[in-house]
């Protein structure tokens, strides 16, 4: 059992916060809490395990008023809270582990609470995982260096640490401003290799385009010489 799975051992019910965004494991997410029901949720989790679930949900895409059973979300761990004078709060959370929403339970809270089951990626061949992880890490660094050059070498060079393949796949995914549909696709995958292959296609295209752009800018700055 991983350290993350050990952290949520014994938990089967989770407060659910439906939002029109996707949270990935290892991703930092700031939130502004203002609705009374979620103020109550925040108070409850601060007194407990500091965990709640974020499900991608938009009412426009569903006939229901809440995420459907069977949908996949990510556990958000409360990292920091800034309480405001009027009862609102600014919080910082980080994605911990994925879950599948099984069904809703009524325990008298004003916010949704659901029975969930947690999961990680399936076990896969270590040699294959290591090989493609090294490719992804190299591609990410190509993209990061090209982006730095495109910015005129301003700011800091983006970087992610070399990590275990599943963690790396989410760290790289979180580093890009992917749309919610793609992030949700990556979140639902249970194959690390499949997720890394999906990222590989995106990164190869991005690296080639951004490096070409950086070369054009460099040439323009030297009048083509």
């Amino acid at each position: 059992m991983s350290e993350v799975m050990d952290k949520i051992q014994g938990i089967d019910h989770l407060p659910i916060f439906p939002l029109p965004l996707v949270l990935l494991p290892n991703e930092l997410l700031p939130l502004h809490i203002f609705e009374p029901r979620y103020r109550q949720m925040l108070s409850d989790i601060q007194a407990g395990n500091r965990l709640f679930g974020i499900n991608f949900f938009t009412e426009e895409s569903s006939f229901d008023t809440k995420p459907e059973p069977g949908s996949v979300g990510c556990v958000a761990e409360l990292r920091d809270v800034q309480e405001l004078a009027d009862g609102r709060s600014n919080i910082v959370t980080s994605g911990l582990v994925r879950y599948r929403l099984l069904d809703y339970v009524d325990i008298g809270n004003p916010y949704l609470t659901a029975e969930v089951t947690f999961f990680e990626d399936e076990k896969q061949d270590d040699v294959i995982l290591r090989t493609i992880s090294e490719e992804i890490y190299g591609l990410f660094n190509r993209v990061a260096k090209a982006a730095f050059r495109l910015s005129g070498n301003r700011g800091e060079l983006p970087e992610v640490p070399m990590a275990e393949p599943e963690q790396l796949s989410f760290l790289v995914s979180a580093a890009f401003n992917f749309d919610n549909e793609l992030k949700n696709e990556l979140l639902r995958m249970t194959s690390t290799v499949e997720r890394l292959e999906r990222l590989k296609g995106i990164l190869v295209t991005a690296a080639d385009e951004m490096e070409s752009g950086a070369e054009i800018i460099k040439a323009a700055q030297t009048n083509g010489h």
Side-chain angles (χ1 to χ4, degrees):
M1 180 179 294
S2 72
E3 181 180 343
V4 168
M5 293 299 282
D6 186 58
K7 200 167 191 176
I8 47 85
Q9 189 175 15
I11 298 173
D12 52 11
H13 290 167
L14 199 64
I16 301 297
F17 195 172
L19 288 170
L21 56 82
V22 176
L23 176 66
L24 299 173
N26 304 300
E27 182 177 21
L28 288 176
L29 176 67
L31 292 170
H32 180 63
I33 306 298
F34 60 92
E35 288 187 55
R37 57 181 166 169
Y38 296 119
R39 293 186 195 181
Q40 181 63 53
M41 184 192 77
L42 178 59
S43 175
D44 291 346
I45 66 171
Q46 282 183 283
N49 56 28
R50 301 175 71 83
L51 304 177
F52 64 98
I54 291 180
N55 269 74
F56 175 52
F57 177 76
T58 58
E59 292 187 2
E60 293 80 7
S61 64
S62 175
F63 294 107
D64 203 349
T65 58
K66 56 189 177 184
E68 297 179 358
S71 60
V72 170
C74 183
V75 176
E77 182 175 23
L78 186 64
R79 301 287 292 273
D80 192 26
V81 179
Q82 178 191 32
E83 296 179 350
L84 305 177
D86 61 2
R88 296 175 296 126
S89 297
N90 294 318
I91 68 174
V92 176
T93 69
S94 61
L96 190 62
V97 66
R98 292 167 290 166
Y99 63 85
R100 187 165 284 104
L101 194 156
L102 300 179
D103 206 354
Y104 291 97
V105 294
D106 185 358
I107 57 175
N109 291 324
Y111 50 84
L112 297 171
T113 302
E115 180 185 357
V116 299
T117 181
F118 304 99
F119 68 94
E120 294 182 302
D121 284 349
E122 302 158 355
K123 179 70 175 175
Q124 294 182 287
D125 185 271
D126 287 338
V127 174
I128 295 174
L129 286 170
R130 184 169 62 252
T131 299
I132 191 169
S133 291
E134 289 171 354
E135 285 186 78
I136 293 298
Y137 190 70
L139 283 166
F140 177 83
N141 284 317
R142 278 182 59 194
V143 171
K145 289 175 182 177
F148 188 60
R149 289 163 61 195
L150 284 169
S151 73
N153 297 337
R154 292 187 296 270
E156 295 183 1
L157 186 65
E159 60 180 67
V160 297
M162 186 58 178
E164 291 299 313
E166 180 177 349
Q167 183 183 14
L168 178 68
S169 72
F170 287 122
L171 286 169
V172 170
S173 299
F176 287 89
N177 190 27
F178 292 146
D179 60 45
N180 285 318
E181 285 70 24
L182 176 54
K183 289 182 74 174
N184 201 36
E185 176 189 338
L186 297 170
L187 187 76
R188 295 177 63 88
M189 288 178 180
T190 56
S191 166
T192 309
V193 171
E194 182 182 358
R195 188 180 305 105
L196 290 171
E197 288 285 2
R198 185 79 167 88
L199 289 172
K200 180 180 175 181
I202 296 169
L203 291 176
V204 166
T205 300
D208 289 344
E209 291 179 351
M210 294 174 74
E211 286 172 347
S212 295
E215 287 301 316
I216 290 171
I217 290 175
K218 180 180 178 182
Q221 290 172 339
T222 57
N223 294 321
H225 298 291

